[in-house]
Amino acid sequence: MAKIQLNGKKVSIRTNFSVKDLIKKYRFREKRIAIELNGTILPKQYYVKKKLKNNDKVEIVEFI
């Protein structure tokens, strides 16, 4: 298990969890979000490839 910060809250995820997995788990609509990972905007093409690690900070903003 790894612990990350998601939108300011500590959450636990399993190891080898991708950003795409996080989107699915928390039911965000991928076409309507922007993701910041550790202070840097993450382009959509990296959602599947980027694996989350312990202490990562993820901010997900959903557009209305």
Side-chain angles (χ1 to χ4, degrees), residues 13-57:
I13 57 169
R14 37 177 232 277
T15 53
N16 210 25
F17 212 64
S18 72
V19 171
K20 179 83 168 186
D21 294 330
L22 193 69
I23 292 167
K24 285 181 184 178
K25 179 177 180 175
Y26 289 96
R27 298 182 177 173
F28 286 103
R29 291 186 234 163
E30 189 174 337
K31 293 182 179 183
R32 301 179 62 148
I33 61 173
I35 297 181
E36 181 183 288
L37 177 60
N38 298 323
T40 304
I41 299 295
L42 187 67
K44 290 185 187 277
Q45 68 261 29
Y46 295 108
Y47 289 1
V48 173
K49 299 175 191 175
K50 185 65 179 169
K51 302 296 182 188
L52 296 168
K53 359 180 246 311
N54 206 33
N55 296 320
D56 275 346
K57 291 181 182 173

